[in-house]
Amino acid sequence: PKMKEDNCLHAALICLGMLYYSHALTTEKLNHSRPSLHGHHEKGKEGQVLHRSKRGWVWNQFFVIEEYTGPDPVLVGRLHSDIDSGDGNIKYILSGEGAGIIFVIDDKSGNIHATKTLDREERAQYTLTAQAVDRNTNRPLEPPSEFIVKVQDINDNPPEFLHENYHANVPERSNVGTSVIQVTASDADDPTYGNSAKLVYSILEGQPYFSVEAQTGIIRTALPNMDREAKEEYHVVIQAKDMGGHMGGLSGTTKVTITLTDVNDNPPKFPQSVYQMSVSEAAVPGEEVGRVKAKDPDIGENGLVAYSIIDGDGMDMFEITTDYETQEGVVKLKKTLDYETKKSYSLKVEAANVHIDPKFISNGPFKDTVTVKIAVEDADEPPVFLKPSYIFEVQENAASGTVVGKVHAKDPDAANSAIRYSIDRHTDLERYFVINAEDGNIKTIKALDREEIAWHNISVFAVEVHKQHQEAKVPVAIKVVDVNDNAPKFAAAYEAFVCENARSNQQFITISADDKDDSANGPRFIFSLPPEIIHNPNFTLRDNRDNTASVLVRREGFSRQKQDLYLLPIVISDGGLPPLSSTNTLTIRVCGCDSSGSLLSCNAEAYILNAGLSTGALIAILACIVILLVIVVLFVTLKRQKKEPLIVFEEEDVRENIITYDDEGGGEEDTEAFDIATLQNPDGINGFIPRKDIKPEYQYMPRPGLRPAPNSVDVDDFINTRIQEADNDPTAPPYDSIQIYGYEGRGSVAGSLSSLESATTDSDLDYDYLQNWGPRFKKLADLYGSKDTFDDDS
């Protein structure tokens, strides 16, 4: 109600002002007459007198109050000309912006009224043109004159902010007065008239943390040391009020969300002073032992913490790494532990910030320390050998039961359980060794041969007596020491050749030896002839003292006819203790040589043949033998090709043709898919076909009554009849022809009797098995059984 009273009072004062201005203007117009000769004298500059012509009307602008809502149209002003005598002959006309719609004029009195409510924020002024004409003739009595109607502003628009919500950030611990953000509001009222658009900012919510500058809208911090960790987000409400903030002004508000950003103002802190951890002695290096965590309320890089071990007796046994995802320190095993040696360790772990803000270095050291105690747990460990591997030696050919060596293992646990030993038989398949399960002594079971196996690599297991699953394994290498048990022999199977014309003391071969024993029991080799032939008249031996020997000719003149082969025994001794020797025989052949010493022949028989028959004669004899063999082979081949068949056939004998029917029969039940006439033997009907090798005793004619009609469908009877006739006819020849029967028989133990395959070979078959097939095959057995006789007769 108070605001309404103020608005009404303001409007009344404006109306009074407008009325006063209109009255003064009217008085001025009434006092001015039409232009005349009378001049109005005015003193100008420098005392000069100026003359000004008078107009019938003169004005500048009218005013009308916006948002007027009275019952009657508001009077804007009055047009009047000094030539208007009041008799109604002058007519006033109004034109221009809003004329006739917003502004109307009384054409007699010249009063202008506004018929609609005006809004200065939509349009601040209107330009109109006034004209006075004769009512009867419409003749202009005054020149047209423009004037402006201004809309007088009232405070009808509240301030509005650019954004409904603002978001801003400010670092925590900022000094008082630190600028956060500037908010800006605007007012649609006229800033040049009164205080309708004069804004003042104030804070409604957010005290005492923030303040706002009244004129600029800049929000600033109002409290020192605001802590993000205590409160991170603030909601501030800012108000903008016009009329300079005085009573009666309009206002608008906006919300500002202010977030405190983090700074590194908090050092890390362990929540406890001591961490207890445990780890098994069986753990492997790299295995995680436990985790520690220092709490830092800061976030982001300000809260990053790095962990390190700075002291403690476990610095060499453990290490710590940082898990940056969880901000934890991970304690890991660095070296293998031994419960029996040391049962606990202590570490001093430090947690320090990675990034430190120099502004807050006075808040104290940005690090903290904690003690980590690690207990080592006893683990059930397998036995441990005193050595990682063993190497023993044993002489070859040692007696069974010879001790090779001893292995020893112990239980590292506090219980110190008894140990049992065994040999991995996969490494000693031949079972050369055995081990004492109690004390670990390894012995031989059978004799060893260094020349067969010089090294034996076995594995020995050690197992706890009461815990069979706990075992250890150690490699044992056994070297077989060499004994001089192999005599030297020729390095190769030597065969020497000496020429018949060899000279005395001529060397014809150099020999060497080989010994399976080790070098200590092998070379150097000593070569010699047995004592009984040391004065051999044919050959002599020379030891070259380099493990080789040369054989020389002692005399001249060897003859293959007298003796073409000599056997020379040679004794070879090694350098072992005691030395071993062997006698090896060298075969020496006597050969014919040319004058330069090149071998020609070493065969005594060939030498004899050369005396009676030349080489060319031998070649001629061999060539004749080959030619004779070729002639015999050709003769036999031609004879076989000209062999005539047993039965004489006509050239056009239909039985020589294989007739193929592309008709798949229906089996035994199908008797209509073929012509039975194809089963008949045309030569059998017409008469008997003679064989070249048999003279029939009598002419046998088939009985007409036994032959079925060609169109008979009883195929089984037909075949049985033909078989019976063949069995009872001693002169019936076995025709080598192919008969195609469209009938699937009932099977026979004899299999196939076809001669298709046998016709392609010349080999004779044994037909004695036909005797076992019954009377139906008796004739066939008789005929083929006498085949050899027929061939011999022919």
Side-chain angles (χ1 to χ4, degrees):
K2 184 66 176 178
M3 184 178 295
K4 289 183 178 180
E5 292 179 0
D6 294 340
N7 291 337
C8 294
L9 180 60
H10 183 67
L13 292 175
I14 292 175
C15 292
L16 290 176
M18 290 296 297
L19 292 175
Y20 176 77
Y21 180 79
S22 300
H23 176 71
L25 186 63
T26 305
T27 304
E28 183 182 357
K29 287 183 175 294
L30 292 177
N31 290 334
H32 291 170
S33 59
R34 288 185 58 86
S36 62
L37 298 176
H38 298 88
H40 181 76
H41 300 277
E42 292 183 356
K43 283 189 177 181
K45 294 180 181 180
E46 298 179 356
Q48 184 179 3
V49 178
L50 301 176
H51 297 276
R52 183 182 62 182
S53 298
K54 293 183 178 179
R55 290 182 55 84
W57 50 37
V58 177
W59 57 73
N60 291 324
Q61 59 187 9
F62 289 150
F63 293 89
V64 61
I65 300 175
E66 68 169 336
E67 302 294 343
Y68 176 75
T69 58
D72 298 326
V74 61
L75 178 64
V76 177
R78 180 183 180 187
L79 299 180
H80 185 73
S81 177
D82 53 1
I83 64 173
D84 185 4
S85 59
D87 55 3
N89 291 328
I90 296 178
K91 179 181 179 181
Y92 295 98
I93 300 173
L94 186 65
S95 62
E97 297 173 344
I101 301 174
I102 299 175
F103 302 102
V104 296
I105 190 171
D106 186 346
D107 59 355
K108 291 184 179 181
S109 63
N111 291 334
I112 301 173
H113 292 82
T115 61
K116 294 183 178 181
T117 301
L118 303 180
D119 187 358
R120 190 200 67 84
E121 285 69 40
E122 290 184 3
R123 188 156 188 169
Q125 65 183 19
Y126 297 87
T127 301
L128 299 174
T129 301
Q131 191 174 13
V133 298
D134 186 273
R135 184 177 296 276
N136 296 324
T137 62
N138 285 332
R139 182 176 60 86
L141 301 178
E142 289 278 359
S145 179
E146 287 187 354
F147 64 94
I148 295 174
V149 177
K150 285 191 174 182
V151 180
Q152 186 69 43
D153 179 54
I154 63 173
N155 190 18
D156 59 343
N157 290 280
E160 293 183 357
F161 283 93
L162 298 180
H163 303 286
E164 184 177 356
N165 293 288
Y166 289 85
H167 295 274
N169 298 322
V170 63
E172 63 174 333
R173 307 286 183 180
S174 296
N175 296 327
V176 175
T178 301
S179 175
V180 180
I181 191 175
Q182 181 178 15
V183 295
T184 304
S186 60
D187 196 319
D189 293 326
D190 189 2
T192 62
Y193 179 77
N195 295 325
S196 298
K198 186 177 181 180
L199 305 181
V200 174
Y201 299 94
S202 61
I203 183 169
L204 301 183
E205 294 181 16
Q207 301 96 337
Y209 306 104
F210 300 95
S211 63
V212 64
E213 290 183 356
Q215 304 301 324
T216 62
I218 298 176
I219 301 175
R220 300 182 181 275
T221 58
L223 279 182
N225 297 324
M226 283 192 293
D227 190 4
R228 184 200 67 83
E229 287 71 35
K231 185 176 181 180
E232 183 176 7
E233 192 174 82
Y234 296 85
H235 297 282
V236 178
V237 178
I238 302 297
Q239 181 191 64
K241 190 174 184 180
D242 59 12
M243 300 298 294
H246 293 90
M247 185 179 296
L250 303 179
S251 62
T253 59
T254 186
K255 294 181 180 179
V256 183
T257 301
I258 301 175
T259 303
L260 296 183
T261 58
D262 184 65
V263 297
N264 190 12
D265 58 339
N266 294 281
K269 186 72 176 176
F270 283 104
Q272 59 198 66
S273 59
V274 178
Y275 283 88
Q276 298 286 347
M277 299 179 184
S278 62
V279 60
S280 173
E281 64 173 334
V284 297
E287 187 172 335
E288 181 178 328
V289 177
R291 295 187 174 216
V292 298
K293 184 175 184 179
K295 294 183 178 179
D296 191 332
D298 296 323
I299 59 175
E301 66 176 15
N302 297 319
L304 293 179
V305 178
Y307 298 87
S308 60
I309 300 175
I310 60 176
D311 197 5
D313 58 0
M315 292 183 65
D316 295 334
M317 305 301 295
F318 301 92
E319 61 182 356
I320 191 169
T321 59
T322 304
D323 186 346
Y324 286 103
E325 292 185 0
T326 61
Q327 288 298 298
E328 293 176 321
V330 183
V331 180
K332 294 182 179 180
L333 183 62
K334 190 176 180 181
K335 296 181 180 180
T336 305
L337 301 173
D338 186 10
Y339 173 81
E340 289 71 26
T341 303
K342 188 173 179 60
K343 296 179 174 59
S344 64
Y345 294 90
S346 178
L347 302 174
K348 188 175 183 180
V349 176
E350 179 185 81
N353 277 140
V354 177
H355 303 282
I356 298 177
D357 193 341
K359 297 180 181 178
F360 306 99
I361 195 69
S362 60
N363 288 11
F366 283 82
K367 56 186 176 181
D368 193 16
T369 58
V370 70
T371 300
V372 179
K373 293 184 177 180
I374 303 174
V376 181
E377 297 178 347
D378 187 21
D380 189 7
E381 298 176 273
V384 177
F385 283 94
L386 298 184
K387 294 181 180 180
S389 62
Y390 291 87
I391 300 177
F392 299 130
E393 290 185 356
V394 61
Q395 283 191 343
E396 65 174 329
N397 304 325
S400 177
T402 301
V403 176
V404 176
K406 181 179 181 179
V407 297
H408 183 68
K410 66 176 183 178
D411 182 11
D413 299 323
N416 195 17
S417 300
I419 305 298
R420 293 293 180 266
Y421 303 94
S422 63
I423 294 177
D424 184 1
R425 287 306 170 188
H426 293 92
T427 61
D428 186 24
L429 297 176
E430 300 295 332
R431 294 184 176 271
Y432 287 104
F433 307 98
V434 68
I435 190 169
N436 189 310
E438 302 288 338
D439 57 13
N441 275 320
I442 301 175
K443 299 179 180 180
T444 61
I445 300 177
K446 53 186 178 181
L448 305 177
D449 187 0
R450 189 204 69 86
E451 287 70 42
E452 183 179 351
I453 302 177
W455 284 87
H456 293 267
N457 296 303
I458 64 174
S459 296
V460 175
F461 289 114
V463 183
E464 295 183 18
V465 174
H466 302 293
K467 298 175 183 177
Q468 297 295 327
H469 64 283
Q470 293 289 7
E471 68 176 14
K473 186 177 181 181
V474 67
V476 178
I478 301 174
K479 180 182 179 181
V480 181
V481 180
D482 183 51
V483 174
N484 191 18
D485 57 348
N486 290 277
K489 296 180 180 181
F490 278 157
Y494 293 108
E495 187 174 4
F497 303 93
V498 62
C499 293
E500 290 179 308
N501 56 357
R503 300 184 306 274
S504 178
N505 293 327
Q506 180 181 352
Q507 175 183 336
F508 59 90
I509 189 171
T510 300
I511 60 175
S512 62
D514 188 15
D515 195 331
K516 293 182 179 180
D517 292 324
D518 195 10
S519 59
N521 293 316
R524 106 167 168 83
F525 299 120
I526 300 173
F527 300 87
S528 63
L529 295 177
E532 61 270 15
I533 64 167
I534 194 168
H535 299 293
N536 187 299
N538 300 316
F539 306 100
T540 184
L541 184 70
R542 183 182 65 201
D543 192 337
N544 298 324
R545 300 183 180 275
D546 60 355
N547 295 327
T548 65
S550 299
V551 182
L552 297 87
V553 177
R554 173 168 285 186
R555 66 178 178 86
E556 296 180 357
F558 290 91
S559 175
R560 281 181 290 173
Q561 294 177 348
K562 293 181 180 181
Q563 185 175 352
D564 65 338
L565 184 66
Y566 293 88
L567 299 178
L568 180 65
I570 299 176
V571 178
I572 307 175
S573 300
D574 59 21
L577 293 175
L580 293 181
S581 62
S582 66
T583 301
N584 301 264
T585 301
L586 176 64
T587 301
I588 304 173
R589 293 185 179 276
V590 179
C591 301
C593 303
D594 57 13
S595 59
S596 62
S598 300
L599 294 178
L600 295 178
S601 174
C602 296
N603 195 326
E605 289 77 5
Y607 179 82
I608 295 172
L609 288 175
N610 287 338
L613 191 63
S614 64
T615 304
L618 290 174
I619 295 175
I621 293 172
L622 292 175
C624 291
I625 294 173
V626 171
I627 293 172
L628 290 174
L629 290 175
V630 172
I631 293 173
V632 171
V633 171
L634 291 176
F635 178 77
V636 173
T637 304
L638 292 175
K639 184 177 180 181
R640 287 187 178 182
Q641 292 180 353
K642 293 181 180 180
K643 186 178 181 180
E644 296 181 1
L646 296 176
I647 302 174
V648 179
F649 293 104
E650 295 179 1
E651 293 182 358
E652 298 298 328
D653 194 346
V654 72
R655 288 169 294 170
E656 293 180 354
N657 300 325
I658 299 176
I659 302 173
T660 302
Y661 293 90
D662 294 332
D663 182 14
E664 184 177 357
E668 298 178 356
E669 303 299 328
D670 186 2
T671 59
E672 298 178 0
F674 56 88
D675 187 3
I676 197 70
T678 59
L679 300 177
Q680 300 176 0
N681 184 358
D683 294 320
I685 297 176
N686 298 331
F688 173 72
I689 298 178
R691 290 183 55 164
K692 296 175 63 178
D693 56 338
I694 295 178
K695 182 177 181 182
E697 297 178 358
Y698 63 92
Q699 187 73 20
Y700 173 78
M701 296 299 292
R703 291 172 292 177
L706 295 178
R707 185 170 63 250
N711 295 328
S712 173
V713 297
D714 192 353
V715 180
D716 196 13
D717 292 342
F718 170 76
I719 293 176
N720 289 333
T721 302
R722 299 290 287 180
I723 292 174
Q724 184 177 0
E725 291 177 359
D727 290 341
N728 297 326
D729 185 8
T731 62
Y735 296 108
D736 291 336
S737 62
I738 298 176
Q739 297 292 337
I740 298 177
Y741 293 87
Y743 171 76
E744 184 174 356
R746 294 172 180 163
S748 171
V749 297
S752 175
L753 298 178
S754 173
S755 61
L756 288 176
E757 296 181 358
S758 62
T760 60
T761 63
D762 295 329
S763 61
D764 295 331
L765 302 178
D766 185 9
Y767 295 98
D768 293 339
Y769 57 86
L770 295 176
Q771 302 288 347
N772 301 325
W773 288 2
R776 294 188 178 185
F777 300 93
K778 182 175 181 302
K779 185 63 177 176
L780 292 175
D782 294 338
L783 292 174
Y784 283 85
S786 60
K787 183 176 185 299
D788 296 337
T789 304
F790 297 150
D791 294 339
D792 295 336
D793 295 340
S794 60

